[in-house]
Amino acid sequence: MPNKINTALLPLAVFVLLITSSVSALAQAFDDVSDDAWYFSYVEQLASEGIIDANDSFRPDDALTRAELANMIIKSIDGLTDFVPPATPTFTDVSVDAWYYSYVEAAAELGIVDGYSDANGNKTGMFGPGDTVTRAAATKILASAFSISNDVDSDSIFPDVSREYWYFDYVASVYMKSIADGYENGYFGPSDPATRAQIAKLIVNAKNPVERVAAISEEPIVEVIDEVVGLSSEIEIEESGLVVSLNPYQSPPLTVPIASASPLINIDLTATGSDVHISGITLTRSGVGNASDWYGIYLYEGFSKITSEYGVNRSTNKVNIPLNLYIKAGTTTTLTAYGDTDVVASPLNQHAFSLNSATDITADALNVTGDLPVSGNVITIGSQFTNTLSIVPGATPLRPTRDTHAEIASFVMTAGATSDVAVTALILTQGGTFSSSKMTDCSLLQDSDVIARSPGFYQDQLIFGLETPYVVPESQGRNFYVDCYINGGRTTDTIQLYLDEVYDLLTTHVDFGFSAVPLNGYTRTLTPSLNLDEAWIRIQ
């Protein structure tokens, strides 16, 4: 006898289905995404749309890989619709049986990604699926995937994103479309790894871009207030203060090779009331490890190393770092503490570095406050040794004519025998008497190929950041040159570029993803000095 449906129960069945659907939707919440987290709504929306899979954890603070980003982007734009992945891979490091194969291939076909290039601009055939995506690279991929126009006229969006950088248009565009924001300190952090939470926000906002209401003002905010409100003679001067906080981006827990450089903690310092001078910072080591695991600790401000190395006291586990840092009132400076693991470091030992109290900062501020203590993530010492990269003078430059582009430095970099080493940034110091401001439009070349550009010197430092890291093969050397436009000068002026600190050469051990150990044979005492002449730059 056929089963009959009791139509009286249909409304109840529909109600049950609705309740079941609601429960299913709620069940997509992740156990590590609380409903009061800033990224909660973005993550939940991507989960509800099937862009990310709902499971126990989302890992919001983890850095995103290129494969993961391709997966999320293609799902967001329905990029697999009617797409048939090729039988032969486009990239040599993306196999057909990889879980991300279809997503990477679809992104490549749509022109969203195109893989790595060598120093000559030729495609290497590699995609780097496991490589971390930086915030700058993420804006480029998002802008390409969602066709975000880059018609921004302003020369200034963030203080760490200048127009001469390759990613300026992408960052400016996603900012003006309200897709991305900077950090609370006003910076964007283009070289910071993009986290899973940050990418969730970018994707949701990119699907519904909104023109940012507030245009970029060319007029200082204080002047606008004075003009509109007329408070210039009535503003009370605040007491000098310094606010300490943990930067929103921290390196995730890491396992690092022996004899390598590791980021330990990022600290934001905000001056209030008036300018603040800081003359010292004390960090404290904790964890199941030894102070002797560390060769030295030092501080960076952006790309610039601003202190020497200082050892960790074996009795107190503290490291006292003298510095000479000025922070203008109303601005925030981010300091990154790095540490070099010693060659005698013990594998599996663990460490974390923290700033524990206001007394750990020596400053002329009347008040030092903040949510203290602040601590970086745990660093575990691995069992592998990192590779080396040596730098020595190359062939003496030819004598170029003045008031034109001139080769002003030549050096050779050689990778050690462990693995390939990627060069990501280089900072050279001018030790001669010729004014650094008169050397402009500079290029870093590998043989005859330009691999990085810089508009000129910052004080006496020439900074090159490589959009595509240049890989020096293991056990091989490569020739590099610096070319700048020389604006005038006197016959007694000299030019001498050199590597002031080994940490001014930023590298990545290709196998491990951590810094290689630079061996500096390009010091001030070893590099040639160029003497300016009416018609020539001559070698002394």
Side-chain angles (χ1 to χ4, degrees), residues 145-146 227 257 289 367 485:
F146 292 93
E227 180 180 337
N367 298 293
Y485 189 90

Short mmCIF file of all heavy atoms in Angstrom, two decimals, residues 145-146 227 257 289 367 485:
data_model
loop_
_atom_site.label_atom_id
_atom_site.label_comp_id
_atom_site.label_asym_id
_atom_site.label_seq_id
_atom_site.Cartn_x
_atom_site.Cartn_y
_atom_site.Cartn_z
N ALA A 145 41.58 40.64 -9.72
CA ALA A 145 40.45 39.71 -9.71
C ALA A 145 39.12 40.43 -9.79
O ALA A 145 38.19 39.96 -10.46
CB ALA A 145 40.51 38.84 -8.45
N PHE A 146 39.00 41.57 -9.11
CA PHE A 146 37.72 42.28 -9.05
C PHE A 146 37.69 43.53 -9.91
O PHE A 146 36.80 44.37 -9.77
CB PHE A 146 37.40 42.62 -7.59
CG PHE A 146 37.11 41.42 -6.74
CD1 PHE A 146 38.11 40.80 -6.01
CD2 PHE A 146 35.83 40.87 -6.68
CE1 PHE A 146 37.86 39.69 -5.24
CE2 PHE A 146 35.56 39.76 -5.90
CZ PHE A 146 36.57 39.16 -5.18
N GLU A 227 41.54 77.07 10.87
CA GLU A 227 40.80 77.91 9.92
C GLU A 227 39.31 77.89 10.21
O GLU A 227 38.64 78.91 10.18
CB GLU A 227 41.07 77.41 8.51
CG GLU A 227 40.36 78.22 7.43
CD GLU A 227 40.67 77.68 6.05
OE1 GLU A 227 41.69 77.02 5.89
OE2 GLU A 227 39.85 77.92 5.14
N PRO A 257 65.92 28.10 11.92
CA PRO A 257 67.21 27.40 11.83
C PRO A 257 68.23 27.99 12.81
O PRO A 257 68.09 29.12 13.28
CB PRO A 257 67.64 27.64 10.38
CG PRO A 257 66.43 28.11 9.67
CD PRO A 257 65.60 28.82 10.68
N GLY A 289 64.46 27.67 27.50
CA GLY A 289 65.64 27.84 26.66
C GLY A 289 66.72 28.55 27.44
O GLY A 289 66.56 28.84 28.64
N ASN A 367 55.00 60.72 31.04
CA ASN A 367 54.25 59.51 31.35
C ASN A 367 54.47 58.48 30.27
O ASN A 367 54.40 58.79 29.08
CB ASN A 367 52.74 59.81 31.46
CG ASN A 367 52.41 60.79 32.57
OD1 ASN A 367 52.56 60.47 33.74
ND2 ASN A 367 51.98 61.98 32.19
N TYR A 485 72.04 58.87 -11.23
CA TYR A 485 72.30 60.11 -11.96
C TYR A 485 73.10 61.03 -11.05
O TYR A 485 72.71 61.29 -9.90
CB TYR A 485 71.00 60.79 -12.37
CG TYR A 485 71.23 61.95 -13.32
CD1 TYR A 485 71.24 61.74 -14.70
CD2 TYR A 485 71.44 63.24 -12.84
CE1 TYR A 485 71.47 62.80 -15.57
CE2 TYR A 485 71.67 64.30 -13.70
CZ TYR A 485 71.68 64.07 -15.07
OH TYR A 485 71.90 65.11 -15.93
#
